[in-house]
Amino acid sequence: MTAFTVRLPDATAAKLETLARKLDRHCSFVVAQAIEDFVEREAWQLTEIAAGLADAERRDFASKSEFADVIQKYVKAARHEPSDDPVE
């Protein structure tokens, strides 16, 4: 494992200490978990952006029908209508 120092505003450090106490964990555990979560999320997002850019460079876009399906999904959600999607 690698150790390093992080400087936080006093207010953030106080919130971190409160959270760690409520979780019955050390602050270092909470910080390590937060950093791991951040790194994973950012790596995923950058991978998805790169894939989207590659699709765009290949001019691989959604068809009109696929686009309409996505729009309809959000229209239904806005109206609180049940979706036909079995995953939801």
Side-chain angles (χ1 to χ4, degrees):
M1 278 202 153
T2 302
F4 61 93
T5 302
V6 176
R7 296 191 184 276
L8 297 173
D10 292 339
T12 302
K15 290 177 185 177
L16 173 63
E17 289 172 9
T18 299
L19 178 61
R21 198 169 30 257
K22 287 180 179 182
L23 294 171
D24 195 26
R25 297 287 192 167
H26 292 284
C27 285
S28 59
F29 174 87
V30 176
V31 169
Q33 187 65 52
I35 291 171
E36 287 178 33
D37 291 348
F38 173 81
V39 168
E40 289 300 317
R41 184 179 60 248
E42 292 299 308
W44 172 84
Q45 184 173 6
L46 292 173
T47 298
E48 291 298 311
I49 289 169
L53 290 172
D55 286 348
E57 287 175 8
R58 288 191 312 274
R59 302 188 57 75
D60 183 11
F61 301 107
S63 69
K64 288 182 182 181
S65 174
E66 291 169 327
F67 181 74
D69 289 346
V70 170
I71 296 300
Q72 189 60 35
K73 178 180 177 179
Y74 289 101
V75 168
K76 283 183 178 181
R79 291 182 184 153
H80 302 297
E81 295 178 10
S83 172
D84 296 332
D85 189 349
V87 176
E88 292 181 349

Coordinates of all heavy atoms in Angstrom, one line a residue:
M1 N 0.8 -1.2 0.0 CA 0.0 0.0 0.0 C 0.9 1.2 0.0 O 2.0 1.2 0.6 CB -0.9 0.0 1.2 CG -2.1 -0.8 1.2 SD -3.3 -0.2 2.4 CE -4.7 -0.7 1.5
T2 N 0.4 2.3 -0.6 CA 1.0 3.6 -0.6 C 0.3 4.5 0.3 O -0.9 4.6 0.4 CB 1.0 4.1 -2.1 OG1 1.6 3.2 -2.9 CG2 1.7 5.5 -2.1
A3 N 1.1 5.3 1.1 CA 0.6 6.3 2.0 C 0.9 7.7 1.5 O 2.0 7.9 0.9 CB 1.1 6.1 3.4
F4 N 0.0 8.6 1.6 CA 0.3 10.0 1.2 C -0.6 10.9 2.1 O -1.5 10.5 2.7 CB 0.2 10.3 -0.3 CG -1.2 10.1 -0.8 CD1 -2.1 11.1 -0.9 CD2 -1.5 8.8 -1.3 CE1 -3.3 10.9 -1.5 CE2 -2.8 8.6 -1.9 CZ -3.7 9.6 -1.9
T5 N -0.2 12.2 2.1 CA -0.9 13.2 2.9 C -1.9 14.0 2.0 O -1.5 14.3 0.9 CB 0.1 14.2 3.5 OG1 1.0 13.4 4.3 CG2 -0.6 15.2 4.4
V6 N -3.0 14.2 2.5 CA -4.1 15.0 1.9 C -4.4 16.2 2.8 O -4.7 15.9 4.0 CB -5.3 14.2 1.5 CG1 -6.4 15.0 0.9 CG2 -4.9 13.0 0.6
R7 N -4.5 17.4 2.2 CA -4.9 18.5 3.0 C -6.4 18.8 2.7 O -6.8 18.9 1.6 CB -4.1 19.7 2.7 CG -2.6 19.5 3.1 CD -1.9 20.9 3.0 NE -0.5 20.7 3.2 CZ 0.1 20.7 4.4 NH1 -0.7 20.8 5.5 NH2 1.4 20.5 4.6
L8 N -7.2 18.9 3.8 CA -8.6 19.2 3.7 C -9.0 20.4 4.4 O -8.4 20.7 5.5 CB -9.4 18.0 4.3 CG -9.3 16.7 3.6 CD1 -10.0 15.6 4.5 CD2 -9.8 16.7 2.2
P9 N -10.0 21.2 3.9 CA -10.5 22.3 4.8 C -11.0 21.7 6.1 O -11.4 20.6 6.2 CB -11.6 22.8 3.9 CG -11.4 22.4 2.5 CD -10.7 21.0 2.7
D10 N -10.9 22.5 7.1 CA -11.3 22.1 8.5 C -12.7 21.6 8.5 O -13.0 20.6 9.2 CB -11.1 23.2 9.5 CG -9.6 23.6 9.7 OD1 -8.8 22.7 9.4 OD2 -9.3 24.7 10.2
A11 N -13.6 22.3 7.8 CA -15.0 21.9 7.8 C -15.2 20.5 7.2 O -16.0 19.6 7.7 CB -15.9 22.9 7.1
T12 N -14.5 20.2 6.1 CA -14.5 18.9 5.5 C -14.0 17.8 6.4 O -14.5 16.7 6.5 CB -13.8 18.9 4.1 OG1 -14.4 19.9 3.3 CG2 -13.9 17.6 3.4
A13 N -12.8 18.1 7.0 CA -12.2 17.2 7.9 C -13.2 16.8 9.1 O -13.3 15.7 9.5 CB -10.9 17.7 8.5
A14 N -13.9 17.8 9.6 CA -14.8 17.6 10.7 C -16.0 16.7 10.2 O -16.4 15.8 10.9 CB -15.4 18.9 11.2
K15 N -16.5 16.9 9.0 CA -17.5 16.1 8.5 C -17.0 14.6 8.3 O -17.7 13.7 8.5 CB -18.0 16.6 7.1 CG -18.8 17.9 7.3 CD -19.2 18.4 5.9 CE -19.9 19.8 5.9 NZ -20.2 20.3 4.6
L16 N -15.8 14.5 7.8 CA -15.2 13.2 7.6 C -15.1 12.5 8.9 O -15.4 11.3 9.0 CB -13.8 13.3 7.0 CG -13.0 12.1 6.9 CD1 -13.7 11.1 6.0 CD2 -11.6 12.4 6.4
E17 N -14.6 13.1 9.9 CA -14.5 12.5 11.3 C -15.9 12.1 11.8 O -16.0 11.0 12.3 CB -13.8 13.5 12.2 CG -12.4 13.7 11.9 CD -11.7 14.8 12.8 OE1 -12.4 15.3 13.7 OE2 -10.6 15.1 12.5
T18 N -16.9 12.9 11.6 CA -18.2 12.6 12.0 C -18.7 11.3 11.3 O -19.3 10.4 11.9 CB -19.2 13.7 11.8 OG1 -18.7 14.8 12.6 CG2 -20.6 13.4 12.2
L19 N -18.5 11.3 10.0 CA -19.0 10.2 9.2 C -18.2 8.9 9.6 O -18.9 7.9 9.7 CB -18.7 10.5 7.7 CG -19.1 9.4 6.7 CD1 -20.6 9.1 6.7 CD2 -18.7 9.8 5.3
A20 N -16.9 9.0 9.7 CA -16.2 7.8 10.1 C -16.6 7.3 11.5 O -16.7 6.1 11.6 CB -14.7 8.2 10.2
R21 N -16.9 8.2 12.4 CA -17.4 7.7 13.7 C -18.7 7.0 13.6 O -19.0 6.0 14.2 CB -17.5 9.0 14.6 CG -17.5 8.7 16.1 CD -17.4 9.9 17.0 NE -17.8 11.1 16.5 CZ -17.0 12.1 16.0 NH1 -15.7 12.0 16.0 NH2 -17.5 13.3 15.6
K22 N -19.6 7.6 12.8 CA -21.0 6.9 12.6 C -20.8 5.6 11.9 O -21.7 4.7 12.1 CB -21.9 7.9 11.8 CG -22.3 9.1 12.5 CD -23.2 9.9 11.7 CE -23.7 11.1 12.5 NZ -24.6 12.0 11.7
L23 N -19.8 5.4 11.0 CA -19.6 4.2 10.3 C -18.8 3.2 11.1 O -18.6 2.1 10.7 CB -18.9 4.4 9.0 CG -19.8 5.2 7.9 CD1 -18.9 5.5 6.7 CD2 -21.0 4.4 7.5
D24 N -18.3 3.7 12.3 CA -17.4 2.9 13.1 C -16.2 2.4 12.3 O -15.8 1.3 12.4 CB -18.1 1.7 13.7 CG -17.4 1.1 14.9 OD1 -16.6 1.8 15.5 OD2 -17.6 -0.2 15.1
R25 N -15.6 3.4 11.6 CA -14.4 3.2 10.8 C -13.4 4.3 11.1 O -13.7 5.3 11.6 CB -14.7 3.2 9.3 CG -15.7 2.1 8.9 CD -15.0 0.8 8.8 NE -15.8 -0.2 8.2 CZ -15.3 -1.3 7.8 NH1 -14.1 -1.7 8.0 NH2 -16.1 -2.2 7.2
H26 N -12.1 4.0 10.7 CA -11.1 5.0 10.8 C -11.3 6.0 9.6 O -11.7 5.6 8.6 CB -9.7 4.4 10.8 CG -9.4 3.6 12.0 ND1 -9.1 4.2 13.2 CD2 -9.4 2.3 12.2 CE1 -8.9 3.2 14.1 NE2 -9.0 2.0 13.5
C27 N -10.9 7.2 9.8 CA -10.9 8.2 8.8 C -10.2 7.7 7.5 O -10.6 7.9 6.4 CB -10.4 9.6 9.2 SG -11.5 10.5 10.3
S28 N -9.0 7.1 7.8 CA -8.2 6.6 6.6 C -9.0 5.6 5.8 O -8.9 5.6 4.5 CB -6.9 6.1 7.1 OG -7.1 5.0 8.0
F29 N -9.8 4.8 6.4 CA -10.6 3.8 5.7 C -11.6 4.5 4.8 O -11.8 4.2 3.6 CB -11.3 2.8 6.6 CG -12.3 1.9 5.9 CD1 -11.8 0.7 5.4 CD2 -13.6 2.3 5.7 CE1 -12.7 -0.1 4.7 CE2 -14.5 1.4 5.1 CZ -14.0 0.2 4.5
V30 N -12.3 5.5 5.4 CA -13.4 6.3 4.6 C -12.7 7.0 3.5 O -13.3 7.0 2.4 CB -14.1 7.2 5.6 CG1 -15.1 8.0 4.8 CG2 -14.8 6.4 6.7
V31 N -11.6 7.6 3.7 CA -10.9 8.4 2.6 C -10.4 7.4 1.5 O -10.6 7.7 0.3 CB -9.7 9.2 3.2 CG1 -8.9 9.7 2.1 CG2 -10.2 10.3 4.1
A32 N -9.9 6.3 1.9 CA -9.4 5.3 0.9 C -10.6 4.8 0.1 O -10.5 4.7 -1.1 CB -8.7 4.2 1.6
Q33 N -11.7 4.5 0.7 CA -12.9 4.1 0.0 C -13.4 5.1 -1.0 O -13.8 4.9 -2.1 CB -14.0 3.7 1.0 CG -15.2 3.1 0.3 CD -14.9 1.7 -0.3 OE1 -14.3 0.8 0.3 NE2 -15.2 1.5 -1.6
A34 N -13.4 6.4 -0.5 CA -13.9 7.5 -1.3 C -13.0 7.7 -2.6 O -13.4 7.9 -3.7 CB -13.9 8.8 -0.5
I35 N -11.7 7.5 -2.4 CA -10.7 7.7 -3.5 C -10.9 6.5 -4.4 O -10.9 6.7 -5.7 CB -9.3 7.8 -3.0 CG1 -9.1 9.1 -2.2 CG2 -8.3 7.6 -4.1 CD1 -7.8 9.2 -1.5
E36 N -11.0 5.3 -3.9 CA -11.3 4.1 -4.8 C -12.5 4.3 -5.6 O -12.5 4.1 -6.8 CB -11.3 2.9 -4.0 CG -10.0 2.4 -3.4 CD -10.2 1.1 -2.6 OE1 -11.0 0.3 -2.9 OE2 -9.4 1.0 -1.6
D37 N -13.6 4.7 -5.0 CA -14.9 5.0 -5.7 C -14.7 6.0 -6.8 O -15.2 5.9 -7.9 CB -16.0 5.4 -4.7 CG -16.4 4.3 -3.8 OD1 -16.0 3.1 -4.0 OD2 -17.1 4.6 -2.8
F38 N -14.0 7.1 -6.4 CA -13.8 8.2 -7.4 C -13.0 7.7 -8.6 O -13.3 8.0 -9.7 CB -13.1 9.4 -6.7 CG -12.7 10.5 -7.7 CD1 -13.6 11.4 -8.1 CD2 -11.4 10.5 -8.1 CE1 -13.2 12.4 -9.0 CE2 -11.0 11.5 -9.0 CZ -11.9 12.5 -9.4
V39 N -11.9 7.0 -8.3 CA -11.0 6.5 -9.4 C -11.8 5.6 -10.3 O -11.7 5.7 -11.6 CB -9.7 5.9 -8.8 CG1 -9.0 5.1 -9.9 CG2 -8.9 6.9 -8.2
E40 N -12.5 4.7 -9.8 CA -13.3 3.7 -10.6 C -14.3 4.5 -11.4 O -14.5 4.2 -12.6 CB -14.0 2.7 -9.7 CG -13.0 1.7 -9.1 CD -12.3 0.9 -10.1 OE1 -12.9 0.4 -11.1 OE2 -11.0 0.7 -9.9
R41 N -15.1 5.4 -10.8 CA -16.1 6.1 -11.5 C -15.5 7.0 -12.7 O -16.0 7.0 -13.8 CB -16.9 7.0 -10.6 CG -18.0 7.8 -11.2 CD -18.8 8.6 -10.2 NE -18.0 9.6 -9.6 CZ -17.6 9.6 -8.3 NH1 -18.0 8.7 -7.5 NH2 -16.8 10.6 -7.9
E42 N -14.4 7.7 -12.4 CA -13.8 8.5 -13.4 C -13.2 7.6 -14.5 O -13.3 8.0 -15.7 CB -12.7 9.4 -12.8 CG -13.2 10.4 -11.9 CD -14.1 11.4 -12.5 OE1 -13.7 12.0 -13.6 OE2 -15.3 11.6 -12.0
A43 N -12.6 6.5 -14.2 CA -12.0 5.6 -15.2 C -13.2 5.1 -16.1 O -13.0 5.0 -17.3 CB -11.3 4.4 -14.6
W44 N -14.3 4.7 -15.5 CA -15.4 4.2 -16.3 C -15.9 5.3 -17.2 O -16.2 5.1 -18.4 CB -16.6 3.8 -15.3 CG -17.8 3.5 -16.1 CD1 -18.2 2.3 -16.7 CD2 -18.9 4.4 -16.3 NE1 -19.4 2.4 -17.3 CE2 -19.9 3.7 -17.1 CE3 -19.2 5.7 -16.0 CZ2 -21.1 4.3 -17.5 CZ3 -20.3 6.3 -16.4 CH2 -21.3 5.6 -17.2
Q45 N -16.0 6.5 -16.7 CA -16.6 7.6 -17.5 C -15.6 8.0 -18.6 O -16.1 8.1 -19.8 CB -16.8 8.9 -16.6 CG -17.4 10.0 -17.4 CD -17.7 11.2 -16.5 OE1 -17.4 11.2 -15.3 NE2 -18.4 12.2 -17.0
L46 N -14.3 8.0 -18.4 CA -13.4 8.3 -19.5 C -13.4 7.2 -20.5 O -13.3 7.4 -21.7 CB -12.0 8.4 -18.9 CG -11.8 9.7 -18.1 CD1 -10.4 9.7 -17.4 CD2 -12.0 11.0 -18.9
T47 N -13.6 5.9 -20.1 CA -13.7 4.8 -21.1 C -15.0 5.0 -21.9 O -14.9 4.8 -23.1 CB -13.7 3.5 -20.3 OG1 -12.5 3.3 -19.6 CG2 -13.9 2.3 -21.3
E48 N -16.1 5.3 -21.3 CA -17.3 5.5 -22.0 C -17.2 6.7 -23.0 O -17.8 6.6 -24.1 CB -18.5 5.7 -21.1 CG -18.8 4.4 -20.3 CD -19.3 3.3 -21.2 OE1 -20.1 3.5 -22.1 OE2 -18.7 2.2 -21.0
I49 N -16.6 7.8 -22.6 CA -16.4 8.9 -23.5 C -15.6 8.5 -24.7 O -15.9 8.9 -25.8 CB -15.8 10.1 -22.7 CG1 -16.8 10.7 -21.7 CG2 -15.3 11.2 -23.7 CD1 -16.2 11.7 -20.7
A50 N -14.5 7.8 -24.4 CA -13.6 7.4 -25.5 C -14.4 6.5 -26.5 O -14.3 6.6 -27.7 CB -12.4 6.6 -25.0
A51 N -15.2 5.6 -26.0 CA -16.0 4.7 -26.8 C -17.0 5.5 -27.6 O -17.3 5.3 -28.8 CB -16.8 3.7 -26.0
G52 N -17.6 6.5 -27.0 CA -18.6 7.4 -27.7 C -17.9 8.2 -28.8 O -18.5 8.3 -29.9
L53 N -16.7 8.7 -28.5 CA -16.0 9.4 -29.5 C -15.6 8.5 -30.7 O -15.7 8.9 -31.9 CB -14.8 10.1 -28.9 CG -15.0 11.2 -28.0 CD1 -13.8 11.7 -27.3 CD2 -15.7 12.4 -28.7
A54 N -15.2 7.3 -30.4 CA -14.9 6.3 -31.4 C -16.1 6.0 -32.3 O -16.0 5.9 -33.5 CB -14.3 5.0 -30.8
D55 N -17.3 5.8 -31.7 CA -18.5 5.6 -32.4 C -18.8 6.8 -33.3 O -19.1 6.7 -34.5 CB -19.7 5.5 -31.5 CG -19.7 4.1 -30.8 OD1 -19.0 3.2 -31.2 OD2 -20.5 4.0 -29.8
A56 N -18.6 8.0 -32.8 CA -18.8 9.2 -33.6 C -17.9 9.3 -34.8 O -18.3 9.7 -35.9 CB -18.7 10.5 -32.7
E57 N -16.6 9.0 -34.6 CA -15.7 9.0 -35.6 C -16.0 8.0 -36.7 O -15.8 8.2 -37.9 CB -14.3 8.7 -35.1 CG -13.7 9.9 -34.3 CD -12.3 9.6 -33.7 OE1 -11.7 8.5 -34.0 OE2 -11.9 10.4 -32.9
R58 N -16.6 6.9 -36.4 CA -17.1 5.9 -37.3 C -18.5 6.2 -37.9 O -19.0 5.5 -38.7 CB -17.2 4.5 -36.7 CG -15.9 3.9 -36.4 CD -16.0 2.4 -36.0 NE -17.1 2.2 -35.0 CZ -16.8 2.3 -33.6 NH1 -15.7 2.6 -33.2 NH2 -17.8 2.0 -32.8
R59 N -19.0 7.4 -37.4 CA -20.4 7.8 -37.8 C -21.4 6.8 -37.4 O -22.4 6.6 -38.1 CB -20.4 8.2 -39.2 CG -19.4 9.3 -39.6 CD -19.6 9.9 -40.9 NE -20.9 10.5 -41.3 CZ -21.4 11.6 -40.8 NH1 -20.7 12.4 -40.0 NH2 -22.6 12.0 -41.2
D60 N -21.2 6.1 -36.3 CA -22.1 5.0 -35.8 C -23.0 5.7 -34.8 O -22.8 5.7 -33.6 CB -21.2 3.9 -35.1 CG -22.1 2.8 -34.6 OD1 -23.3 2.7 -35.0 OD2 -21.5 1.9 -33.9
F61 N -24.1 6.2 -35.3 CA -25.1 6.9 -34.4 C -26.3 6.1 -34.3 O -26.6 5.1 -35.1 CB -25.4 8.3 -35.0 CG -24.2 9.2 -35.2 CD1 -23.7 9.4 -36.4 CD2 -23.6 9.7 -34.1 CE1 -22.6 10.3 -36.6 CE2 -22.5 10.6 -34.2 CZ -22.0 10.8 -35.5
A62 N -27.2 6.4 -33.3 CA -28.4 5.7 -33.2 C -29.3 6.0 -34.4 O -29.3 7.1 -34.9 CB -29.1 6.2 -31.9
S63 N -30.1 5.0 -34.7 CA -31.1 5.2 -35.8 C -32.2 6.1 -35.3 O -32.4 6.3 -34.1 CB -31.7 3.8 -36.2 OG -32.5 3.3 -35.2
K64 N -33.0 6.6 -36.2 CA -34.2 7.4 -35.8 C -35.1 6.6 -34.9 O -35.6 7.2 -33.9 CB -35.0 7.9 -37.0 CG -34.2 8.9 -37.8 CD -35.1 9.4 -39.0 CE -34.3 10.4 -39.8 NZ -35.1 10.9 -41.0
S65 N -35.3 5.3 -35.1 CA -36.1 4.5 -34.3 C -35.6 4.4 -32.9 O -36.3 4.5 -31.9 CB -36.3 3.1 -34.9 OG -37.0 2.3 -34.1
E66 N -34.3 4.1 -32.8 CA -33.6 4.0 -31.5 C -33.7 5.3 -30.7 O -33.9 5.3 -29.5 CB -32.1 3.5 -31.7 CG -31.9 2.1 -32.2 CD -30.5 1.9 -32.6 OE1 -29.8 2.8 -33.1 OE2 -30.1 0.7 -32.4
F67 N -33.5 6.4 -31.4 CA -33.6 7.7 -30.8 C -35.0 7.9 -30.3 O -35.2 8.4 -29.1 CB -33.1 8.8 -31.8 CG -33.2 10.2 -31.2 CD1 -32.2 10.6 -30.3 CD2 -34.2 11.0 -31.6 CE1 -32.3 11.8 -29.8 CE2 -34.2 12.3 -31.0 CZ -33.3 12.7 -30.1
A68 N -36.0 7.6 -31.1 CA -37.4 7.8 -30.7 C -37.7 6.9 -29.5 O -38.4 7.4 -28.6 CB -38.3 7.5 -31.8
D69 N -37.2 5.7 -29.4 CA -37.4 4.8 -28.3 C -36.9 5.5 -27.0 O -37.5 5.4 -25.9 CB -36.8 3.5 -28.5 CG -37.5 2.6 -29.5 OD1 -38.6 3.0 -29.9 OD2 -36.9 1.6 -30.0
V70 N -35.7 6.0 -27.0 CA -35.1 6.7 -25.9 C -35.9 7.9 -25.4 O -36.2 8.0 -24.2 CB -33.6 7.1 -26.1 CG1 -33.1 7.9 -25.0 CG2 -32.8 5.8 -26.3
I71 N -36.3 8.7 -26.4 CA -37.1 9.9 -26.0 C -38.4 9.4 -25.4 O -38.9 10.0 -24.4 CB -37.4 10.7 -27.3 CG1 -36.1 11.3 -27.8 CG2 -38.4 11.8 -27.0 CD1 -35.3 12.2 -26.9
Q72 N -39.1 8.4 -26.0 CA -40.4 7.9 -25.4 C -40.2 7.4 -24.0 O -41.1 7.6 -23.2 CB -40.9 6.8 -26.3 CG -42.3 6.4 -26.0 CD -43.3 7.6 -26.1 OE1 -43.2 8.4 -26.9 NE2 -44.3 7.6 -25.2
K73 N -39.1 6.8 -23.7 CA -38.8 6.3 -22.4 C -38.9 7.5 -21.4 O -39.5 7.4 -20.3 CB -37.5 5.6 -22.3 CG -37.1 5.1 -20.9 CD -35.7 4.4 -21.0 CE -35.3 4.0 -19.6 NZ -34.0 3.3 -19.7
Y74 N -38.2 8.6 -21.7 CA -38.2 9.7 -20.8 C -39.5 10.5 -20.8 O -39.9 11.0 -19.7 CB -37.0 10.7 -21.2 CG -35.7 10.0 -20.8 CD1 -34.9 9.4 -21.8 CD2 -35.3 10.0 -19.5 CE1 -33.7 8.8 -21.4 CE2 -34.1 9.4 -19.1 CZ -33.3 8.8 -20.1 OH -32.2 8.2 -19.8
V75 N -40.3 10.4 -21.9 CA -41.6 11.1 -21.9 C -42.5 10.3 -20.9 O -43.2 10.9 -20.1 CB -42.2 11.1 -23.3 CG1 -43.7 11.5 -23.3 CG2 -41.4 12.1 -24.2
K76 N -42.4 8.9 -21.0 CA -43.2 8.1 -20.1 C -42.8 8.3 -18.6 O -43.7 8.4 -17.8 CB -43.0 6.6 -20.4 CG -43.8 6.2 -21.6 CD -43.6 4.7 -21.8 CE -44.4 4.2 -23.0 NZ -44.2 2.7 -23.2
A77 N -41.6 8.4 -18.4 CA -41.1 8.7 -17.0 C -41.6 10.0 -16.5 O -42.0 10.2 -15.4 CB -39.6 8.6 -17.0
A78 N -41.6 11.0 -17.4 CA -42.1 12.4 -17.0 C -43.5 12.4 -16.7 O -44.0 13.1 -15.8 CB -41.7 13.4 -18.1
R79 N -44.3 11.5 -17.3 CA -45.7 11.4 -17.1 C -46.1 10.4 -16.1 O -47.2 10.1 -15.8 CB -46.4 11.0 -18.4 CG -46.4 12.1 -19.5 CD -47.1 11.6 -20.7 NE -47.1 12.5 -21.8 CZ -47.1 12.3 -23.0 NH1 -47.3 11.0 -23.4 NH2 -47.1 13.2 -24.0
H80 N -45.0 9.7 -15.5 CA -45.2 8.6 -14.6 C -46.0 7.5 -15.1 O -46.8 6.8 -14.3 CB -45.8 9.2 -13.3 CG -45.0 10.3 -12.6 ND1 -43.7 10.1 -12.2 CD2 -45.3 11.6 -12.4 CE1 -43.3 11.2 -11.7 NE2 -44.2 12.1 -11.8
E81 N -45.9 7.2 -16.4 CA -46.5 6.1 -17.0 C -45.6 4.8 -16.8 O -44.4 4.9 -16.8 CB -46.7 6.3 -18.5 CG -47.7 7.4 -18.8 CD -47.8 7.6 -20.3 OE1 -47.3 6.8 -21.1 OE2 -48.4 8.7 -20.7
P82 N -46.3 3.7 -16.6 CA -45.4 2.5 -16.5 C -44.7 2.2 -17.8 O -45.3 2.4 -18.9 CB -46.5 1.3 -16.2 CG -47.8 2.0 -16.2 CD -47.7 3.4 -16.5
S83 N -43.5 1.8 -17.7 CA -42.7 1.5 -18.9 C -42.9 0.1 -19.4 O -43.3 -0.8 -18.7 CB -41.2 1.7 -18.6 OG -40.4 1.3 -19.6
D84 N -42.7 -0.1 -20.7 CA -42.8 -1.5 -21.3 C -41.5 -2.2 -21.1 O -41.4 -3.4 -21.4 CB -43.1 -1.4 -22.8 CG -44.4 -0.7 -23.1 OD1 -45.3 -0.8 -22.2 OD2 -44.6 -0.1 -24.2
D85 N -40.5 -1.5 -20.6 CA -39.1 -2.1 -20.4 C -39.2 -3.1 -19.2 O -39.4 -2.7 -18.1 CB -38.1 -1.0 -20.1 CG -36.7 -1.5 -20.1 OD1 -36.5 -2.8 -20.1 OD2 -35.8 -0.7 -20.1
P86 N -38.9 -4.4 -19.4 CA -39.0 -5.4 -18.3 C -37.9 -5.2 -17.3 O -38.0 -5.7 -16.1 CB -38.9 -6.7 -19.0 CG -38.2 -6.4 -20.3 CD -38.6 -5.0 -20.7
V87 N -36.8 -4.4 -17.6 CA -35.7 -4.2 -16.7 C -36.1 -3.2 -15.6 O -35.6 -3.3 -14.4 CB -34.5 -3.7 -17.4 CG1 -33.3 -3.4 -16.5 CG2 -34.0 -4.7 -18.5
E88 N -37.0 -2.4 -15.8 CA -37.3 -1.3 -14.9 C -38.2 -1.9 -13.8 O -39.0 -2.7 -13.8 CB -38.0 -0.1 -15.5 CG -37.0 0.6 -16.4 CD -37.7 1.8 -17.1 OE1 -38.9 1.9 -17.1 OE2 -37.0 2.6 -17.7

